[in-house]
């Protein structure tokens, strides 16, 4: 079903969508990066779930849980903003927790350098 929907997309549709994304990205950058070059955000709106809750073949699979995993990261990908996630410890259940950092479009190298420096700094404290 998804492939047949994709085949119905015209070149004009793609050009229009690309222009829309560029406008949305510019608006998002104007709003998000007024006081900083990199923003720090949570990765997920939920506690880290057990892997079996995210595997479609599992009896405990939850589509809602799987969808929630990307709820806070999806916008950066859709807008073409560079993003990186680094470990930030563990929650009360011992599950890993991360934080994401997002930068302006085209600032990939600066974001990766910052994330690497921050990760090394945090690792040296433990």
């Amino acid at each position: 079903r998804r492939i047949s929907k994709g085949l119905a997309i015209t070149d004009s549709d793609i050009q229009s969508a690309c222009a829309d994304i560029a406008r949305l990205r510019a608006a998002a950058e104007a709003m998000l990066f007024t006081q900083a070059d990199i923003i720090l955000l949570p990765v997920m709106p939920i506690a880290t779930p057990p892997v079996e809750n995210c595997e479609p073949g599992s009896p405990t699979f939850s589509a809602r849980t799987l969808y929630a995993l990307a709820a806070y990261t999806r916008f950066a990908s859709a807008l073409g903003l560079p993003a990186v996630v680094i470990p930030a410890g563990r929650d009360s259940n011992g599950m890993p927790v991360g934080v994401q950092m997002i930068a302006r479009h085209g600032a990939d190298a600066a974001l990766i350098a910052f994330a690497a420096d921050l990760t090394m700094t945090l690792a040296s404290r433990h």
Side-chain angles (χ1 to χ4, degrees):
R1 226 169 64 184
R2 288 182 182 174
I3 291 173
S4 64
K5 285 182 181 180
L7 292 172
I9 298 172
T10 66
D11 289 347
S12 175
D13 293 335
I14 292 171
Q15 290 172 344
S16 177
C18 288
D20 289 345
I21 288 170
R23 281 191 295 278
L24 289 169
R25 180 175 51 238
E29 287 180 338
M31 185 174 51
L32 295 172
F33 300 105
T34 58
Q35 298 178 11
D37 293 326
I38 295 172
I39 56 173
L40 182 70
L41 298 168
V43 174
M44 300 183 303
I46 60 172
T48 305
V51 69
E52 57 271 9
N53 291 4
C54 302
E55 290 181 352
S58 170
T60 59
F61 171 71
S62 166
R64 217 175 274 252
T65 298
L66 184 61
Y67 188 77
L69 292 178
Y72 288 177
T73 58
R74 204 173 286 120
F75 83 95
S77 296
L79 294 175
L81 299 175
V84 65
V85 174
I86 62 169
R90 298 197 174 270
D91 67 15
S92 60
N93 295 320
M95 297 297 282
V97 175
V99 294
Q100 69 173 318
M101 291 174 277
I102 298 171
R104 291 180 183 277
H105 181 71
D108 307 55
L111 178 62
I112 291 169
F114 180 80
D117 288 347
L118 180 58
T119 302
M120 294 298 289
T121 300
L122 294 173
S124 71
R125 293 184 181 183
H126 293 293

